Amino acid sequence: MKIAAGAAKGLEYLHDKANPPVIYRDLKCSNILLDEDYNPKLSDFGLAKLGPVGDKTHVSTRVMGTYGYCAPEYAMTGQLTLKSDVYSFGVVLLEIITGRRAIDTSRAAGEQNLVAWARPLFKDRRKFSQMADPVLQGQYPVRGLYQALAVAAMCVQEQPNMRPLIADVVTALNYLASQKYDPGSQPVQRPRSGVSTPRTRRDL
């Protein structure tokens, strides 16, 4: 969550502090560099584009970027907005939460595209635990998982105007990154042979 919050903060600087605003256009995990304390830095601004100015809502440009991270409206029309970056950030956040890649051709057909796999699961809170990175082995705050998935779900909305501003994403993730996890203070998702316990299912 600290890495996600820091990456969102980098986007917030480009969108809200830079004048004119800058659209990063190629946000993906491999463009987020970490120092020894896991502080993230956005790198590779080769595709960055000056954003819309005045009453313009978008800039039109040749579609560039990385498959799996591109917002659908940008991929289809070449119309690039600040919300295109928010979509890409949502994909990165989903990768962090799930431990999956944006596109993974080694998986079954319905699971190769991360966003397409996640969308139906977003609609059923009982399935949220299936989306947590299995490497965590259930050792995470359940409420934190719900909140992180809620942020990711908002960011990858099909309609750009339904996506949040990056500043709001920063606020939400800063809160999540500041939470301390105490395994003894709450029910834990303890997988038993890869399945969650009945009690945990009821909790969901």
Side-chain angles (χ1 to χ4, degrees), residues 80-151:
L80 190 63
T81 71
L82 297 174
K83 295 292 183 76
S84 309
D85 276 348
V86 173
Y87 181 94
S88 302
F89 178 81
V91 179
V92 168
L93 183 57
L94 263 183
E95 286 186 293
I96 292 171
I97 295 167
T98 63
R100 290 170 172 248
R101 295 171 181 269
I103 300 293
D104 186 350
T105 52
S106 70
R107 291 188 179 271
E111 296 188 16
Q112 292 184 0
N113 181 301
L114 177 57
V115 173
W117 168 78
R119 278 217 171 101
L121 300 176
F122 284 145
K123 295 173 182 152
D124 186 352
R125 282 173 67 124
R126 289 169 302 180
K127 293 184 176 169
F128 280 12
S129 61
Q130 295 174 24
M131 300 171 76
D133 187 341
V135 171
L136 294 172
Q137 297 188 315
Q139 300 294 308
Y140 55 80
V142 176
R143 183 177 292 172
L145 172 70
Y146 286 8
Q147 291 169 334
L149 284 172
V151 174

Side-chain angles (χ1 to χ4, degrees), residues 123-185:
K123 295 173 182 152
D124 186 352
R125 282 173 67 124
R126 289 169 302 180
K127 293 184 176 169
F128 280 12
S129 61
Q130 295 174 24
M131 300 171 76
D133 187 341
V135 171
L136 294 172
Q137 297 188 315
Q139 300 294 308
Y140 55 80
V142 176
R143 183 177 292 172
L145 172 70
Y146 286 8
Q147 291 169 334
L149 284 172
V151 174
M154 288 189 292
C155 290
V156 296
Q157 295 265 22
E158 288 271 354
Q159 298 301 321
N161 61 338
M162 300 294 286
R163 297 174 205 147
L165 296 169
I166 198 66
D168 296 331
V169 173
V170 169
T171 302
L173 293 180
N174 276 340
Y175 170 76
L176 283 175
S178 71
Q179 298 303 292
K180 296 286 180 274
Y181 173 51
D182 176 9
S185 70

